[in-house]
Amino acid sequence: MSQVRNIHSALSQISQPWQPHRLVTVNEQEVKAVKLLGEFVWHDHPVDELFFVIAGELAIDMRPAPTAENSAPEETTVHLGPGDMYVVPRGVEHRPRAAQEVSAMLFEPRGVVNTGNAGGALTSAVHELE
């Protein structure tokens, strides 16, 4: 890709929440613009996933995988505001949620499905921006 991309212009093209749109691909990583609203499904990925909030307030609930030492690890929640970023480690079950619309970017390897192995009605292919 040899053109300048603007995140605010990209976000203005997105009308539905939970529909990732590819901004650019860098090596094997995709940078995606997305709007988030409501509660997503619990899911995990076999790779790390970076959330970068542009506007709004995002909560990410997480349930770490049980270990031999801790068969029922405690759920935690990370709260992100504009300009904040957070990496959800691979294998950590998580659920993003937003009481009001959030504009964000996601950074993850090419081919990652937004709902991981959970599937369901919110599963979306990556859309291309114009």
Side-chain angles (χ1 to χ4, degrees):
M1 189 198 113
S2 60
Q3 67 184 44
V4 174
R5 299 307 295 255
N6 181 281
I7 184 61
H8 300 291
S9 174
L11 288 163
S12 73
Q13 297 177 46
I14 300 173
S15 61
Q16 297 295 315
W18 310 113
Q19 304 287 312
H21 289 67
R22 184 183 358 265
L23 280 168
V24 296
T25 301
V26 181
N27 298 315
E28 295 299 314
Q29 296 287 314
E30 292 182 331
V31 179
K32 302 170 186 174
V34 66
K35 289 187 178 176
L36 313 170
L37 180 61
E39 200 171 88
F40 203 56
V41 297
W42 282 101
H43 67 287
D44 64 12
H45 303 284
V47 296
D48 296 339
E49 179 180 27
L50 185 143
F51 287 81
F52 178 63
V53 174
I54 304 298
E57 303 287 329
L58 178 66
I60 304 173
D61 301 322
M62 292 177 284
R63 294 193 287 215
T67 63
E69 299 82 35
N70 188 357
S71 61
E74 192 171 309
E75 285 184 19
T76 59
T77 301
V78 172
H79 296 275
L80 306 175
D84 291 338
M85 65 176 63
Y86 181 77
V87 175
V88 176
R90 68 188 76 209
V92 173
E93 191 176 21
H94 59 286
R95 173 186 62 188
R97 55 186 170 84
Q100 299 196 3
E101 186 174 84
V102 169
S103 296
M105 291 192 304
L106 304 175
F107 297 74
E108 53 198 5
R110 184 188 328 243
V112 169
V113 176
N114 68 332
T115 54
N117 291 329
L122 293 176
T123 301
S124 174
V126 176
H127 300 274
E128 298 296 335
L129 290 164
E130 295 179 15

